[in-house]
Amino acid sequence: AILRRIQVGQTPSSGREAFNVARLQIDLRRKRALVADQALELTSAEFRILACLADAYGRPIDRARLTEQALGRKLALYDRSIDTHVSNLRRKLERAGPSGVVIRAVRGAGYELLEDATT
């Protein structure tokens, strides 16, 4: 379990230390996300999901891969925890004000992070 937690805490595969998408800033080294210079209060799982989505910006990530990368475990049958985390993440991004990004569900493909054309 400890080894699994260590692997989960690692940065996304690109090796980048920070992501900037519209008004969203993700600092992987400090493990914090900002919208227009205001900190988002995210759980560690939500932060890792956001970092994985930012790492694959514009490309969908399937739920199984997102579960493995962000939560450090295999996706089980009837497991909806990623969907719950994404829902919470969307709500927190919305509450933070116009972030300029949106997390979109792609049927049969998973989730992707995109710039929000409406802001």
Side-chain angles (χ1 to χ4, degrees), residues 49 63 66-67 70-71 73 75 79-87 111:
I49 290 167
R63 290 174 66 243
L66 200 53
T67 301
L71 303 181
R73 59 181 170 79
L75 181 66
D79 184 357
R80 306 303 293 190
S81 60
I82 279 292
D83 303 317
T84 303
H85 288 303
V86 168
S87 175
Y111 293 102

Side-chain angles (χ1 to χ4, degrees), residues 5-51:
R5 277 186 242 136
I6 290 170
Q7 290 173 345
V8 168
Q10 293 180 358
T11 60
S13 61
S14 70
R16 293 174 59 183
E17 291 186 4
F19 297 98
N20 292 313
V21 181
R23 287 179 225 118
L24 175 66
Q25 301 169 334
I26 302 169
D27 186 343
L28 297 173
R29 212 167 3 122
R30 293 185 180 127
K31 296 195 182 333
R32 68 180 190 168
L34 306 168
V35 171
D37 295 325
Q38 276 195 305
L40 284 173
E41 296 297 323
L42 302 176
T43 66
S44 59
E46 291 165 351
F47 178 81
R48 289 190 305 266
I49 290 167
L50 186 60

Side-chain angles (χ1 to χ4, degrees), residues 103-115:
I103 300 173
R104 185 174 75 110
V106 181
R107 188 178 180 116
Y111 293 102
E112 67 181 332
L113 183 72
L114 299 170
E115 282 197 47

Side-chain angles (χ1 to χ4, degrees), residues 56-97:
Y57 177 75
R59 296 183 319 269
I61 300 179
D62 64 71
R63 290 174 66 243
R65 187 169 142 220
L66 200 53
T67 301
E68 286 179 21
Q69 286 182 346
L71 303 181
R73 59 181 170 79
K74 298 264 186 216
L75 181 66
L77 193 60
Y78 303 115
D79 184 357
R80 306 303 293 190
S81 60
I82 279 292
D83 303 317
T84 303
H85 288 303
V86 168
S87 175
N88 292 337
L89 189 53
R90 284 175 172 158
R91 188 171 45 253
K92 289 177 181 182
L93 282 169
E94 186 178 300
R95 264 193 249 139

